[in-house]
Amino acid sequence: MSAQTYLAYDYPVLGVFWSMLVFFLWIMWFVLLFRCIVDIFRDDGMSGWGKAGWTLFVIVLPFLGVFVYLIARGKGMGKREMAEARARQEAFDSYVRQTAQGAPARTSSADELAKLSAMRSRGEITDDEFRRAKELVLSETGPAGRSADVPTSTGR
């Protein structure tokens, strides 16, 4: 019998399944352990000694410590995680609102020329001011250059 055939008999499909299950549970155990440790330090209501005690308990007796932690503080763990997610979402929303409000509205050159033409036809600016403003718009000078040279209204 060849080595490959012997290996197939020696390690059947059910053995592969059990190995994968054990590996999956091992990874899940570490995920649960780290989530408990993160939750210990996330809780602002717990004192420093309480955090030290829970951390020591979870690290020295990991299986018992994690299970006791989940039983004793599991409900609060979910609430703290939801509060953290809500705070992150609110921070993101306020950042988006700030950024959207602070961004200047960009108008096209054609829109600006149409506005200038309307101002000239109403008599708000002179032909000379219109010519200078038109040159600025067509040369695509930034808003700072435009605001110093282009009058928006003369109050006539």
Side-chain angles (χ1 to χ4, degrees):
M1 193 181 267
S2 70
Q4 285 182 329
T5 307
Y6 184 70
L7 181 62
Y9 283 113
D10 192 35
Y11 202 66
V13 173
L14 189 59
V16 172
F17 171 75
W18 284 114
S19 296
M20 288 176 31
L21 182 66
V22 167
F23 183 72
F24 174 75
L25 291 175
W26 184 69
I27 295 295
M28 288 303 298
W29 169 250
F30 279 108
V31 167
L32 187 59
L33 176 69
F34 289 123
R35 285 191 57 147
C36 287
I37 290 173
V38 165
D39 186 65
I40 289 170
F41 289 101
R42 179 185 292 163
D43 188 7
D44 292 333
M46 191 185 309
S47 69
W49 287 106
K51 289 179 183 185
W54 274 113
T55 304
L56 189 65
F57 188 42
V58 166
I59 290 176
V60 171
L61 299 170
F63 289 109
L64 182 63
V66 167
F67 291 135
V68 169
Y69 186 81
L70 288 175
I71 291 169
R73 300 182 49 87
K75 192 173 191 178
M77 191 173 171
K79 289 178 183 177
R80 283 184 292 279
E81 189 168 339
M82 289 295 292
E84 178 77 20
R86 193 174 302 115
R88 276 192 307 247
Q89 185 65 39
E90 286 174 6
F92 176 74
D93 290 344
S94 70
Y95 170 75
V96 168
R97 276 192 296 277
Q98 265 183 343
T99 305
Q101 289 173 354
R106 180 87 174 142
T107 58
S108 68
S109 298
D111 292 336
E112 291 184 25
L113 289 174
K115 288 178 186 176
L116 286 171
S117 178
M119 289 171 68
R120 183 180 64 170
S121 66
R122 288 191 304 258
E124 294 177 1
I125 59 174
T126 64
D127 288 337
D128 187 44
E129 290 171 333
F130 173 77
R131 184 186 49 75
R132 283 189 294 145
K134 180 177 154 185
E135 289 173 4
L136 285 172
V137 168
L138 293 177
S139 67
E140 296 184 359
T141 304
R146 236 181 264 145
S147 65
D149 295 337
V150 180
T152 55
S153 82
T154 57
R156 292 183 197 180

